[in-house]
Structure formats: structure tokens, C-alpha cells
Amino acid sequence: MIKLVETEDFVVYDDVMAADQFSAIWSAVQAEQYAIPHIGGWSKVWRATDGTGMGSRDYDTESVPFGNYMDAMNFYISSAAKIHDRIIPPWNKLLLRSYLYPRGTKLNWHNDLGYKGAAIFYVHPEWASTWGGELMLARTPDSGDMPPPHLDHREEDKFLATFGMGTYITCRPNRLVLTRAGVWHSINRVDADAGDHCRAAVVGFFK
């Protein structure tokens, strides 16, 4: 587990797991049961034009052990968060989910309002530079708690254009990213070049 970079907003670790364990996690994520998150109603963190990503059920750490791959994910994500309490302040619950983003899908700008911070661990075995799917982190004014824009995003456009810059983090396999609460971020659209490769990740939300 190699710490690549740390800022006031995020920290990135590469080569988190040994190759055999990472391969086992990838197999387990493929065997997971998935649904479209807003199949029963529009979950508006996704815009109407964001495409159809898929998510697993919630794994709430109040119910550990899970008896599957999420026990390992809970260990790695929780362990990293505990040594970065400036980015992830004290928390008592972690919600874990697996997500798949096939080509043509993305997730628009949001700031995980209501959570103490978030984590993302990339579980796909390969990812090319032309496939998109980057985690985009915006530089914004400190006061960024606005409601999700749904269809009208003019106020959000003005807010994000205050600086009009930020950081991107590629979907490198076996990479873990922790992000501070309130940081505006998005997932770049997965490009057609990705073919039948899905951007696959386990995401954690700290409460």
C-alpha cells in the first residue's frame, strides 16, 4: 500500500492489495447482484443524461461481518480512513456499495452532502488512458452546500466556474482514494473506447 499523494481534500493510495487478493475481489464484484439505483424512482444525484450505471445493495458496517468480499473492503477502507482523520473526521458507520459504469455513463457534479467523507477503490483489472471515467475534483469556494440541480443547473454552472479548475484522478486498478466531505466531484463519462470494459469500484460513505 503506497501513498501516492495527499492534499487537504484527498489522499490516494496505489497497490493497496496483493495481486491474488485483488484478483479475488474482482471476481467477487463481478458475482455481485446489481440494480439501476433509480429504477424505482429518479435518484437525482444522477442527471437524466448520465446513462445507466449499476449499483449493489448497501453494506452497512453495523452488520459486520458480511461473510464476503466486503469484509476485506471494510478493513482496507476503514484502516486508511483512521490514519487520515483530517480528511475523514471521526465517524461511526461506513456504507459500502459496488458500482459498475459501462461506456456512455457518468455521474455529474455533487458534494456527498450529509456524509463525513467518501472512499473509492478501483477493482477492474485494467484501465486505459482513453477510456474516460476519471474522478474529477473541482476547486470551489468554501460554501458549496447547494441543493442538487436536477434539470436546471445554471446556479451550479456559475458556482463551479468561480475558479474553473481542479484535479482529475485516473481509474488505476488497485487504487484507493479518500475524499473530504464537501469536495465537489464528478465521474467523467466512460468513453466508447472502453468497449465492454466497465469502470468498476467499491465506494464507501462515512457517517
Side-chain angles (χ1 to χ4, degrees):
M1 191 166 176
I2 302 166
K3 186 169 75 171
L4 185 68
V5 63
E6 181 178 1
T7 74
E8 63 180 12
D9 290 334
F10 66 90
V11 60
V12 179
Y13 281 95
D14 281 344
D15 302 326
V16 172
M17 299 179 186
D20 56 345
Q21 186 177 26
F22 181 70
S23 179
I25 295 288
W26 168 231
S27 295
V29 165
Q30 293 177 81
E32 179 66 89
Q33 298 297 310
Y34 292 93
I36 299 169
H38 43 276
I39 195 70
W42 183 12
S43 177
K44 292 178 181 175
V45 68
W46 283 274
R47 288 249 180 91
T49 56
D50 280 358
T52 308
M54 295 177 285
S56 74
R57 69 176 180 89
D58 285 341
Y59 289 86
D60 186 332
T61 54
E62 290 183 340
S63 302
V64 293
F66 304 118
N68 62 15
Y69 72 105
M70 281 298 190
D71 288 322
M73 294 312 313
N74 178 37
F75 170 77
Y76 283 103
I77 291 174
S78 296
S79 296
K82 287 173 183 175
I83 60 176
H84 292 287
D85 57 2
R86 186 175 55 83
I87 294 174
I88 309 293
W91 49 278
N92 56 26
K93 182 162 75 167
L94 175 61
L95 298 176
L96 297 162
R97 298 182 196 123
S98 290
Y99 282 105
L100 301 179
Y101 283 78
R103 62 183 176 182
T105 56
K106 67 184 182 76
L107 180 60
N108 226 294
W109 294 103
H110 61 289
N111 69 346
D112 290 336
L113 186 65
Y115 295 109
K116 295 271 192 176
I120 183 167
F121 178 71
Y122 297 110
V123 299
H124 42 248
E126 61 176 313
W127 200 258
S129 60
T130 62
W131 292 357
E134 296 88 354
L135 176 63
M136 316 293 284
L137 305 169
R139 181 186 173 195
T140 65
D142 290 337
S143 56
D145 292 338
M146 62 177 69
H150 305 170
L151 295 175
D152 184 349
H153 48 84
R154 288 172 293 181
E155 289 302 313
E156 179 186 2
D157 292 346
K158 287 192 290 185
F159 174 73
L160 291 169
T162 303
F163 297 106
M165 64 181 72
T167 300
Y168 76 90
I169 299 172
T170 60
C171 312
R172 178 175 174 169
N174 208 3
R175 167 172 283 181
L176 173 63
V177 183
L178 301 178
T179 57
R180 179 179 59 80
V183 174
W184 280 78
H185 58 285
S186 68
I187 296 173
N188 195 23
R189 195 180 300 275
V190 177
D191 196 90
D193 286 356
D196 63 356
H197 295 271
C198 285
R199 180 189 189 274
V202 173
V203 176
F205 300 98
F206 299 90
K207 299 198 70 147

